[in-house]
Amino acid sequence: MEATPLSIPEHALGSNGEKMPLLGLGTAVSPPVGAEATKLAILQAIKLGYRHFDTAAKYGSEQPLGDAIQEALSIGSIKSRDDLFITTKLWCGDAHGELVATALKRSLQNLKLEYLDLFLIHWPVSAKPGTYEFPIKEENFLPLDFKSVWSAMEDCQKLGLTKSIGVSNFSCKKLTALLAIAKIPPAVNQVEMNPLWQQKNLREFCKAKGIFLTAYSPLGAIGTFYGSNRVMECEVLKEIAKAKGKTVAQISLRWIYEQGAGVIVKSFNGGRMKQNLEIFGWSLNEEELRRISGIPQSRGVPGTPYTSRFGPFRTIEDIWDGEM
């Protein structure tokens, strides 16, 4: 049976109650697969019931996502743009007060949309204005001016260019600094989270502050230059999956969902896309949750490409403020 869009639970976001599907499809593909393959995967995902799509200026997938949305509308896979929840992110080279609105409008142009559902600051650091390379050259990093950049993000929401605004890869300490100056608090913090990096402190902090946590790399970003198979090869997860007749991916995604977080999962494989939707309507028992909470913890995405001997982050500890 094909999943209907109704089978994905939603969360009402803080600032305006906008409903975000708790499971989204990520479009960061490393190494890249090309625009046509990306578009076809997104069209297939829409047919299966995905309604939340996550992209970023950095991923190069905004245009194929935009093309897929247009095609889905023309063939009737969705009735209107409003059926979808679209997230994109502000790249470091555009993380300057005066460049934020221009960057968002560029993303809208790529996506062929009139508004975003969610616009995130991709990393808590800036780069030389207008630089789009990755990796960023060490000498091109600059501190993020929270006040001017966040104020520009707030203006984008007020203008209706995006329904909600948020951040990605922000520590408790950086969120505290942002909340001190924010008129509109961030609706979302998108961070690495999976059974091998459970983010317990950050989860509790965000919950207390009304910031919704969304997980990226829920399966360890297997197959990417920065990821590993450590989640998929975790013995505890393999044993639970076997006992339940589920996949390791389903156990990991279900665990994140049960912690009250959203999840962005990236697979362009049709069979796995379908399996990844099948995480509702069953649950992990207390013993299984206890076993997962005992898994040794370490970051899988330390953020090394965002460190520089010139600063602002000389070490990965600086990025996460020691929240290792």
Side-chain angles (χ1 to χ4, degrees):
M1 188 186 85
E2 279 201 1
T4 65
L6 299 175
S7 62
I8 300 178
E10 296 175 323
H11 173 81
L13 290 176
S15 55
N16 54 17
E18 192 200 2
K19 290 188 168 60
M20 178 172 90
L22 287 172
L23 184 70
L25 188 82
T27 60
V29 189
S30 157
V33 294
E36 188 63 17
T38 302
K39 184 186 89 168
L40 291 172
I42 292 162
L43 281 167
Q44 186 175 11
I46 290 172
K47 282 201 180 89
L48 285 169
Y50 287 88
R51 292 294 178 265
H52 176 179
F53 294 90
D54 181 275
T55 182
K58 173 187 175 238
Y59 302 161
S61 56
E62 288 178 334
Q63 272 175 309
L65 173 54
D67 292 340
I69 294 168
Q70 294 299 313
E71 197 166 317
L73 284 165
S74 72
I75 61 177
S77 300
I78 45 172
K79 288 190 178 71
S80 92
R81 143 71 180 109
D82 302 343
D83 294 346
L84 300 177
F85 188 101
I86 306 296
T87 301
T88 193
K89 307 180 193 82
L90 178 76
W91 183 236
C92 304
D94 287 321
H96 302 275
E98 70 283 5
L99 297 181
V100 172
T102 312
L104 195 164
K105 287 172 185 165
R106 194 188 313 124
S107 287
L108 287 176
Q109 215 173 340
N110 288 339
L111 289 158
K112 300 165 207 55
L113 297 178
E114 287 175 11
Y115 69 89
L116 289 174
D117 295 282
L118 180 61
F119 191 43
L120 304 177
I121 297 175
H122 205 151
W123 283 86
V125 67
S126 296
K128 215 165 114 182
T131 51
Y132 300 108
E133 83 259 355
F134 183 83
I136 297 166
K137 292 190 184 80
E138 273 195 281
E139 61 274 21
N140 283 349
F141 282 103
L142 293 164
L144 180 73
D145 179 350
F146 280 35
K147 207 171 171 63
S148 70
V149 172
W150 192 252
S151 166
M153 297 282 287
E154 291 172 333
D155 288 344
C156 289
Q157 180 171 324
K158 288 174 197 154
L159 288 167
L161 296 170
T162 182
K163 290 191 172 183
S164 298
I165 52 177
V167 295
S168 182
N169 300 301
F170 270 54
S171 64
C172 297
K173 189 177 173 183
K174 289 180 176 67
L175 286 171
T176 301
L178 182 59
L179 288 167
I181 53 109
K183 293 184 181 72
I184 303 172
V188 167
N189 184 19
Q190 188 184 117
V191 293
E192 178 193 6
M193 178 178 161
N194 57 56
L196 277 78
W197 186 243
Q198 298 183 10
Q199 293 280 21
K200 197 165 182 296
N201 292 344
L202 186 63
R203 281 202 329 256
E204 285 167 7
F205 179 90
C206 286
K207 194 175 179 187
K209 301 290 181 191
I211 301 168
F212 191 66
L213 208 64
T214 299
Y216 72 71
S217 296
L219 310 177
I222 189 164
T224 65
F225 75 90
Y226 56 86
S228 75
N229 60 359
R230 64 194 205 125
V231 174
M232 304 304 273
E233 293 300 324
C234 170
E235 284 306 320
V236 171
L237 298 179
K238 279 170 48 176
E239 286 164 20
I240 294 171
K242 193 176 172 196
K244 281 187 115 59
K246 304 287 179 192
T247 66
V248 170
Q250 286 170 333
I251 299 299
S252 184
L253 297 173
R254 176 71 199 182
W255 177 84
I256 294 166
Y257 170 68
E258 288 192 18
Q259 306 317 302
V263 60
I264 301 298
V265 66
K266 200 253 103 202
S267 175
F268 283 1
N269 170 297
R272 287 197 289 272
M273 273 192 218
K274 190 171 182 299
Q275 285 176 348
N276 292 344
L277 282 175
E278 293 164 355
I279 61 164
F280 308 109
W282 56 276
S283 58
L284 295 161
N285 65 37
E286 265 180 61
E287 173 59 17
E288 290 159 346
L289 290 168
R290 192 190 59 75
R291 289 189 68 196
I292 292 171
S293 69
I295 294 171
Q297 296 293 294
S298 64
R299 276 187 191 278
V301 184
T304 314
Y306 299 92
T307 58
S308 160
R309 63 201 147 116
F310 305 113
F313 303 141
R314 288 190 169 79
T315 65
I316 54 174
E317 282 75 18
D318 292 345
I319 300 178
W320 310 112
D321 299 301
E323 296 166 24
M324 304 299 288

